[in-house]
């Protein structure tokens, strides 16, 4: 490949924008990003008021790279006003959640990174008095990492977009940027162009597929990804409540997958969500789980009733004073999950000029400051061997059932399909 090669990136989320920016830094001069909407894309998984920034992993590879990213978030001047330091409380009570917490602590120890023990509710509440109200929660256990925080995701994506524009990246959006298929050379199977909803073909030499949960619609994924919807909600706080909860930690319950953020002071919103097994939306046409593709100005104000119940159950335990508060709005966020929770950063086995940078599996955003570096290393076939192996495109899941076991961080009920009525409300 040459720096003059025409590179077409499908998807303007954290993978696509990070890749484009790093390519410009490496001297590539002919890059275009295609998406349905100018980034921040309202229903993309990279966009919201907040995303967790942490390096707590049971996998040392991710922990090291997340720490690398955290150091940039924390110290780089360009992320002031985008990144907000906050303590992070990792909590569990059941064996499954406790096991995950312990494995994360083991990795932190192996890397010489500090954490604070939270052996019971009394210790947790002494550290964070706003939690739990007056209710006794037995068997609570976990740890605190103060080297963490959260990012205003929408502002981060807008910053990344502007950096790409300054670097010479072109954006094609609307129907001309909505990719519906790839045009292939019948002799070689190379990709010739991205076919769009407007009828235009956008030609290129190389194509990078970073369409998140929509990726499997555009290229065969051999059962290596599945699109799952996760529930979230926002509570409007009073100014006094924002002040009272300003020191609220990022809080993750690994038994249920329930988690919450400190208040977003600019909007006065408190965000809660579930990092679980999620919901699928299987389409009759191709038997794939896919999100809707309608372009909207914001996510639809809908979440399934059992998901809303899980959000309220977590509030009842953790922030009981808000348990019955009306939600400002609810929504679902679409993950692009892999069976192991690993990203896919590799060339597609069927198309020599189609590179995949996708499958964030619900934890990719935190890597934003460094993700592009690793994507371009993969694109240029220079990834370190261990990362190339971890992020390879896997075909061994084809025709296998029950392969999606995750990385050990998911909690709560098993994944289920949206009902017909729920699908109509998405």
């Amino acid at each position: 490949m040459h720096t003059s090669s025409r590179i077409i990136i499908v998807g303007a989320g954290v993978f696509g924008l990070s890749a484009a920016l790093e390519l410009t830094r490496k001297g590539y001069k002919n890059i275009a990003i295609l998406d349905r909407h100018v980034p921040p894309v309202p229903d993309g998984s990279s966009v919201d008021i907040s995303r967790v920034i942490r390096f707590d992993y049971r996998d040392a590879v991710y922990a090291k790279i997340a720490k690398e990213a955290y150091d940039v978030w924390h110290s780089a001047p360009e992320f002031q006003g985008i990144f907000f330091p906050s303590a992070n409380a990792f909590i569990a009570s059941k064996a499954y959640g406790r096991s995950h917490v312990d494995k994360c602590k083991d990795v932190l120890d192996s890397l010489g990174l500090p954490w604070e023990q939270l052996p019971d509710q009394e210790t947790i509440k002494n550290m964070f008095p706003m939690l739990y109200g007056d209710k006794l929660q037995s068997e609570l256990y976990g740890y605190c990492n103060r080297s963490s925080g959260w990012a205003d995701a929408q502002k981060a994506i807008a910053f990344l977009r502007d950096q790409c524009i300054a670097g010479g990246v072109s954006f094609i959006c609307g129907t001309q940027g909505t990719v519906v298929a790839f045009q292939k050379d019948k002799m070689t199977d190379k990709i010739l162009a991205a076919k769009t909803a407007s009828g235009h073909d956008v030609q290129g030499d190389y194509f990078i597929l970073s369409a998140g949960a929509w990726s499997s619609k555009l290229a065969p994924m051999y059962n290596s990804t599945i699109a799952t919807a996760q529930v979230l909600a926002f509570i409007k706080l009073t100014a006094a409540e924002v002040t009272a909860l300003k020191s609220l930690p990022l809080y993750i319950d690994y038994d249920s997958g329930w988690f919450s953020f400190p208040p977003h002071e600019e909007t006065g919103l408190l965000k809660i969500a579930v990092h679980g097994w999620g919901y699928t939306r299987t389409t009759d046409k191709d038997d794939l789980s896919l999100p809707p593709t309608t372009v909207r100005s914001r996510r639809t104000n809908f979440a399934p009733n059992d998901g809303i119940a899980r959000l309220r159950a977590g509030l009842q335990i953790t922030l009981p004073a808000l348990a019955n508060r009306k939600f400002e709005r609810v929504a679902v966020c679409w993950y692009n999950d892999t069976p192991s929770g690993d990203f896919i950063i590799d060339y597609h086995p069927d198309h020599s000029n189609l590179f995949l940078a996708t499958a964030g599996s619900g934890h990719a955003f935190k890597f934003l400051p460094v993700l592009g570096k690793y994507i371009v290393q993969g694109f240029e076939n220079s990834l370190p061997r261990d990362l190339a192996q971890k992020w390879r495109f896997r075909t061994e899941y084809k025709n296998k059932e029950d392969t999606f076991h995750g990385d050990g961080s998911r909690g709560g009920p098993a994944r289920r399909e949206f009902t017909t009525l729920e699908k109509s409300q998405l």
Side-chain angles (χ1 to χ4, degrees):
M1 64 188 68
H2 303 282
T3 55
S4 60
S5 297
R6 174 69 164 163
I7 301 172
I8 306 300
I9 299 175
V10 180
V14 66
F15 278 92
L17 292 170
S18 297
L21 182 57
E22 183 65 16
L23 285 166
T24 66
R25 291 170 175 167
K26 299 275 290 197
Y28 292 87
K29 299 177 174 60
N30 197 356
I31 304 164
I33 296 179
L34 280 60
D35 208 313
R36 296 166 296 134
H37 194 286
V38 177
V41 182
D43 58 354
S45 65
S46 299
V47 179
D48 211 327
I49 61 170
S50 50
R51 287 291 182 276
V52 177
I53 308 300
R54 60 173 175 84
F55 49 83
D56 301 81
Y57 277 90
R58 61 194 286 165
D59 182 321
V61 172
Y62 283 113
K64 290 177 184 177
I65 299 173
K67 177 61 165 62
E68 177 189 0
Y70 166 79
D71 289 341
V72 181
W73 282 114
H74 187 262
S75 61
E78 59 265 32
F79 290 122
Q80 289 187 9
I82 295 176
F83 171 78
F84 300 88
S86 173
N88 207 328
F90 300 89
I91 307 298
S93 59
K94 300 175 183 176
Y96 176 87
R98 282 173 172 252
S99 174
H100 182 75
V101 167
D102 287 340
K103 288 175 181 177
C104 290
K105 292 191 299 185
D106 289 344
V107 168
L108 293 177
D109 285 341
S110 72
L111 298 176
L113 298 171
W115 53 272
E116 299 171 50
Q117 186 74 267
L118 299 175
D120 50 41
Q121 179 184 338
E122 182 179 3
T123 305
I124 300 169
K125 193 164 177 57
N126 284 339
M127 191 175 291
F128 305 111
M130 71 289 294
L131 296 175
Y132 308 130
D134 297 326
K135 295 187 177 182
L136 178 65
Q137 308 293 336
S138 61
E139 307 300 325
L140 288 183
Y141 163 89
Y143 73 95
C144 172
N145 189 341
R146 296 189 182 276
S147 297
S148 62
W150 59 277
D152 186 311
Q154 185 154 315
K155 289 183 178 180
I157 291 295
F159 167 77
L160 207 55
R161 173 204 63 205
D162 291 346
Q163 292 292 103
C164 286
I165 292 172
V169 176
S170 299
F171 287 83
I172 304 174
C173 302
T175 57
Q176 293 190 37
T178 302
V179 179
V180 296
F182 287 120
Q183 179 188 351
K184 308 174 187 67
D185 185 303
K186 294 180 180 179
M187 297 293 292
T188 66
D189 267 340
K190 289 185 71 173
I191 305 298
L192 300 177
K195 302 177 74 65
T196 68
S198 65
H200 291 78
D201 293 345
V202 183
Q203 297 180 338
D205 299 309
Y206 292 91
F207 295 81
I208 297 177
L209 180 56
S210 298
W214 290 265
S215 297
S216 60
K217 184 177 182 179
L218 301 175
M221 299 303 289
Y222 294 102
N223 197 34
S224 63
T225 64
I226 187 171
T228 65
Q230 311 288 332
V231 295
L232 59 147
F234 303 88
I235 299 171
K236 185 71 173 179
L237 301 177
T238 66
E241 288 171 333
V242 169
T243 300
L245 295 175
K246 190 172 182 178
S247 299
L248 184 72
L250 290 155
Y251 186 100
I252 302 176
D253 179 342
Y254 280 118
D255 295 328
S256 66
W258 189 92
F259 66 101
S260 64
F261 290 82
H264 188 275
E265 292 190 46
E266 189 173 315
T267 62
L269 293 174
L270 178 78
K271 176 183 169 183
I272 60 175
V274 175
H275 177 69
W277 298 105
Y279 303 81
T280 53
R281 177 183 174 270
T282 304
T283 60
D284 295 333
K285 182 178 178 181
D286 41 28
D287 198 34
L288 293 172
S289 176
L290 292 167
T293 55
T294 305
V295 178
R296 301 179 186 275
S297 60
R298 65 190 304 181
R299 289 185 178 128
T300 303
N301 185 15
F302 167 77
N305 288 334
D306 58 343
I308 293 174
R310 290 171 65 189
L311 292 169
R312 291 210 176 276
L315 277 175
Q316 188 66 53
I317 293 171
T318 311
L319 295 167
L322 299 176
N324 297 316
R325 181 73 63 86
K326 177 185 175 182
F327 290 146
E328 180 80 1
R329 57 189 171 93
V330 296
V332 298
C333 176
W334 285 93
Y335 286 7
N336 190 22
D337 285 330
T338 59
S340 62
D342 291 311
F343 309 151
I344 300 176
I345 300 177
D346 194 7
Y347 279 93
H348 195 284
D350 298 343
H351 311 291
S352 61
N353 65 335
L354 177 61
F355 188 77
L356 302 176
T358 187
S361 299
H363 67 106
F365 186 91
K366 65 178 69 66
F367 298 96
L368 180 150
V370 300
L371 184 59
K373 175 181 72 173
Y374 294 103
I375 293 172
V376 174
Q377 285 178 2
F379 182 70
E380 295 182 329
N381 292 305
S382 61
L383 258 182
R385 184 176 297 179
D386 61 331
L387 294 181
Q389 177 70 10
K390 177 176 283 294
W391 294 334
R392 72 189 187 279
F393 186 99
R394 302 169 190 257
T395 58
E396 60 265 31
Y397 300 121
K398 184 180 180 181
N399 299 324
K400 289 186 178 180
E401 296 182 359
D402 193 29
T403 61
F404 288 83
H405 303 297
D407 61 359
S409 66
R410 306 294 176 98
R415 182 172 57 248
R416 75 161 175 87
E417 175 80 357
F418 281 121
T419 66
T420 301
L421 178 60
E422 288 168 344
K423 289 179 182 179
S424 72
Q425 297 174 283
L426 289 169

